[in-house]
Amino acid sequence: MPTTSSVLDALHTGNGQPPTLPPTLSAERLRELAKAATYLETTQERASLVVKAPFSGETVASLPAGAPEDVDEAFRRARAAQKAWAARPYRERARIFECYHDLVLERHEEALDLIQLESGKTRYDAFLEVGDVALVSRYYAYHGAAALAKKHPLGFVPFLTSVEVNHPPVGVVGIIAPWNYPLTMAITDAIPALLAGNAVVVKPAEQTPFTALWAAELLYAAGLPRDLLHMIPGDGPTLGPSLIANADFLHFTGSTEVGKLIARQASERLIGCSLELGGKNPLVVLDDADLHKSVDGAIRDCFASAGQLCVSIERIYIHASLFDAFVQRFKYKIEAMNVAPGFGWDVEMGSLASAEQLDKVTEHVEDAKSKGANVIVGGHPLPHLGPFFYAPTVLTGVTPEMTLYTEETFGPVVSVYPFATDDEAVELANSTAYGLSAGVWSTNIARARSVARLLECGTVNVNETYVAAWGSTAAPMGGFKQSGLGRRHGPAGILKYTEAQTVATQHLLPIAPIAGMAAEAFAGAVLTGLKILKRLPGLR
Ligand code: NAI
Ligand code: MG
């Protein structure tokens, strides 16, 4: 139940008992992290965000929830600071992110503890988030300037019309982040926005505010002026409308349902938005795939962060000739997985993040079972490990009337299906409203790539998991169809936070009849000019 608390007396641990915290953390440290949040000092009474540790279900701490007035105030401060920030040379801004890269790596142990504490994932999955923040910082620090650089395309009249294209920042960007990748989602979309010269206001997920605050605290330590980045922990429906009412652009990652709501609200103000939404991501195992490598890959693809990953695999199509061997080995390897709570490196799958996630996963699997699906392995919660644990689960015999045939489960549950031809595999993989990510396994790279190109997905990984495309931060990442709008990473991931401005300058002669020339004669000259230009490769 939400309780109220004041800003000053915000942090308290559950039931008077100190929570079990990993080695690098203490109640004192959490209190300190809360200072990285932007709150309006005058708001006295506010709701509390209760942060629970998924490993145990125990309350870790509660901190004050942001109010819409906090969002308004954050935007006022951000707007006041943004122009001076945008006027600084790119290199100067980039230096802060080069330093951030180093600080994040240096202090990664504390980040891993926080991510694990708030999300219940394994240490290795948490580590991938730290790596991702470093990759995104490095890429945009060194390559963002090229994407934003002034360009000089050909003008209307060759040599007489000179053109420059500029990319000024949009102003202040709003970001709404989910809980499944609490570090990477809270900060990596803000990095290119800031580097492009914007200020940013982030609303991290309700469940994982401390990790987001850690990311902000460290960016301030790296030299980012405080007013350029505001973290406002709080409830989505409460803060969302004021974010959209103030922002010049909004980036959202989360469910397709809320994504569409955001797009509708953004359209009312005609602001741009980018959306990274759900997936029902397919993996295609061709008849010449390496059995051992593809099974190991499938395990990482399906069970990373207990399947709570927008790009995780929930459907596997296996060539009929490999089907039985694949399923048998998959089951054997899954049964050997170390599923446990804990902050050590040896755990292979952790907990689901919340009771809501456990309920959804359980509902999907029970629905499938009741309609005739076969459970190859798993298919049940693991309450002896922790309140939200669910076993890694493989189902066969999944049919269209089962919810999880088409809907994203967002848990450690995968359906496997046999196929006969590559064409059939492509058709099955594409038979979904989503189009975020996919994988293809084959020992024939050319064949795998030609299958990959036919998949209606924003990223496709050949002979590797989602990490290959996601970690290639110089390349765009995002969804076809219902999986989203716009891209993160690569040049597109920074250009989306800018406007495109064309400055065209005319020299010597006007684009109009001169010296008493008749309009018809001028039109004739233009006609001739157009015909000539098409024939001149350098000028068309
Ligand atoms: P969600 O879409 O409700 O939450 C994501 C973010 O949006 C959070 O920060 C939340 O506070 C915010 N939000 C929620 N309602 C809002 C509103 N009306 N206006 C503005 N912001 C709002 O996702 P939720 O409920 O946490 O998870 C439900 C399902 O969504 C998951 O089971 C999964 O299927 C999907 N999901 C997909 C993610 C992805 O990476 N593609 C990430 C998180 C969830
Ligand atoms: Mg929701």
Side-chain angles (χ1 to χ4, degrees):
M1 277 304 284
T3 54
T4 58
S5 57
S6 79
V7 180
L8 295 175
D9 181 30
L11 271 161
H12 52 82
T13 48
N15 303 330
Q17 295 294 317
T20 328
L21 293 173
T24 64
L25 298 173
S26 63
E28 203 40 58
R29 178 68 184 119
L30 294 179
R31 210 169 273 122
E32 198 179 300
L33 277 169
K35 293 186 190 145
T38 298
Y39 296 118
L40 190 65
E41 289 79 359
T42 52
T43 305
Q44 290 303 318
E45 289 296 312
R46 35 175 89 242
S48 278
L49 283 182
V50 179
V51 178
K52 290 195 185 255
F55 283 152
S56 61
E58 173 182 67
T59 296
V60 173
S62 68
L63 87 171
E69 301 79 50
D70 297 321
V71 175
D72 294 339
E73 175 62 14
F75 271 92
R76 265 192 295 278
R77 293 182 195 173
R79 232 170 254 299
Q82 183 264 327
K83 290 262 184 318
W85 170 246
R88 283 162 72 169
Y90 193 92
R91 278 273 11 109
E92 226 176 86
R93 297 198 294 263
R95 240 171 259 129
I96 295 170
F97 291 86
E98 287 169 38
C99 172
Y100 189 56
H101 170 280
D102 297 348
L103 284 178
V104 165
L105 295 185
E106 220 167 87
R107 310 226 188 128
H108 74 275
E109 290 288 352
E110 192 182 47
L112 301 188
D113 282 344
L114 267 174
I115 296 169
Q116 287 201 272
L117 182 70
E118 289 191 314
S119 72
K121 65 174 67 181
T122 67
R123 200 154 192 83
Y124 183 71
D125 287 330
F127 170 75
L128 291 179
E129 295 201 47
V130 167
D132 187 54
V133 176
L135 282 173
V136 172
S137 302
R138 190 186 73 199
Y139 172 71
Y140 285 113
Y142 294 110
H143 299 282
L148 301 182
K150 187 177 296 185
K151 283 144 196 107
H152 296 282
L154 277 177
F156 175 50
V157 188
F159 312 113
L160 301 186
T161 320
S162 64
V163 172
E164 66 175 51
V165 178
N166 300 309
H167 291 286
V170 291
V172 187
V173 170
I175 292 176
I176 299 178
W179 41 265
N180 58 331
Y181 275 67
L183 179 64
T184 196
M185 290 292 126
I187 201 70
T188 58
D189 295 301
I191 291 169
L194 288 162
L195 273 165
N198 298 285
V200 176
V201 178
V202 182
K203 191 210 82 63
E206 292 85 333
Q207 298 92 325
T208 55
F210 287 107
T211 307
L213 293 169
W214 183 90
E217 186 197 65
L218 207 58
L219 196 46
Y220 304 141
L224 186 80
R226 170 97 195 205
D227 279 348
L228 292 170
L229 173 70
H230 299 274
M231 283 284 170
I232 309 182
D235 173 62
T238 309
L239 301 188
S242 32
L243 268 148
I244 294 168
N246 283 289
D248 301 308
F249 184 94
L250 197 116
H251 175 80
F252 171 82
T253 308
S255 61
T256 296
E257 185 194 353
V258 177
K260 286 183 176 174
L261 180 74
I262 302 276
R264 276 198 294 278
Q265 294 173 348
S267 77
E268 288 297 316
R269 288 196 54 234
L270 270 187
I271 59 164
C273 65
S274 52
L275 311 167
E276 211 242 66
L277 310 175
K280 188 75 190 174
N281 307 303
L283 181 67
V284 176
V285 182
L286 298 181
D287 56 10
D288 61 354
D290 181 299
L291 183 67
H292 291 206
K293 288 183 188 164
S294 60
V295 166
D296 289 351
I299 286 183
R300 287 178 278 141
D301 249 346
C302 298
F303 307 123
S305 289
Q308 302 163 112
L309 168 55
C310 52
V311 290
S312 73
I313 295 295
E314 296 199 356
R315 302 178 288 149
I316 308 183
Y317 299 101
I318 305 153
H319 189 267
S321 66
L322 274 184
F323 188 80
D324 290 342
F326 186 99
V327 171
Q328 194 186 6
R329 186 165 176 84
F330 199 31
K331 174 177 195 275
Y332 164 78
K333 295 288 265 190
I334 289 168
E335 282 169 344
M337 274 171 75
N338 181 12
V339 182
F343 293 86
W345 286 94
D346 55 329
V347 179
E348 291 167 288
M349 195 183 95
S351 177
L352 289 171
S354 63
E356 289 74 24
Q357 282 301 112
L358 179 67
D359 289 348
K360 184 174 170 195
V361 171
T362 308
E363 259 170 48
H364 276 203
V365 175
E366 291 309 311
D367 166 77
K369 283 201 258 184
S370 74
K371 292 172 184 163
N374 309 308
V375 177
I376 300 298
V377 59
H380 51 81
L382 299 169
H384 59 289
L385 297 179
F388 314 137
F389 276 81
Y390 199 91
T393 298
V394 179
L395 303 173
T396 59
V398 170
T399 54
E401 49 285 351
M402 301 173 192
T403 308
L404 58 70
Y405 184 82
T406 47
E407 275 185 32
E408 178 179 50
T409 302
F410 221 57
V413 179
V414 59
S415 316
V416 294
Y417 310 85
F419 70 84
T421 64
D422 291 9
D423 287 348
E424 187 193 357
V426 168
E427 195 181 318
L428 288 166
N430 287 340
S431 64
T432 168
Y434 291 115
L436 192 58
S437 186
V440 182
W441 285 85
S442 167
T443 46
N444 180 338
I445 304 261
R447 180 175 167 216
R449 283 200 190 127
S450 54
V451 167
R453 291 182 201 110
L454 296 173
L455 298 176
E456 296 157 356
C457 288
T459 53
V460 187
N461 298 280
V462 172
N463 293 343
E464 187 43 84
T465 64
Y466 70 91
V467 177
W470 186 288
S472 302
T473 31
M477 195 277 140
F480 286 19
K481 303 194 274 187
Q482 299 288 300
S483 289
L485 211 57
R487 295 291 182 268
R488 59 160 59 97
H489 296 173
I494 189 164
L495 283 170
K496 73 181 180 186
Y497 297 124
T498 67
E499 293 285 4
Q501 182 201 45
T502 299
V503 178
T505 308
Q506 187 66 15
H507 309 281
L508 297 170
L509 297 172
I511 308 175
I514 43 166
M517 191 182 198
E520 192 177 358
F522 180 71
V526 172
L527 271 177
T528 309
L530 288 171
K531 287 177 190 163
I532 294 170
L533 286 175
K534 182 167 175 268
R535 298 213 182 89
L536 300 176
L539 295 178
R540 68 193 178 205

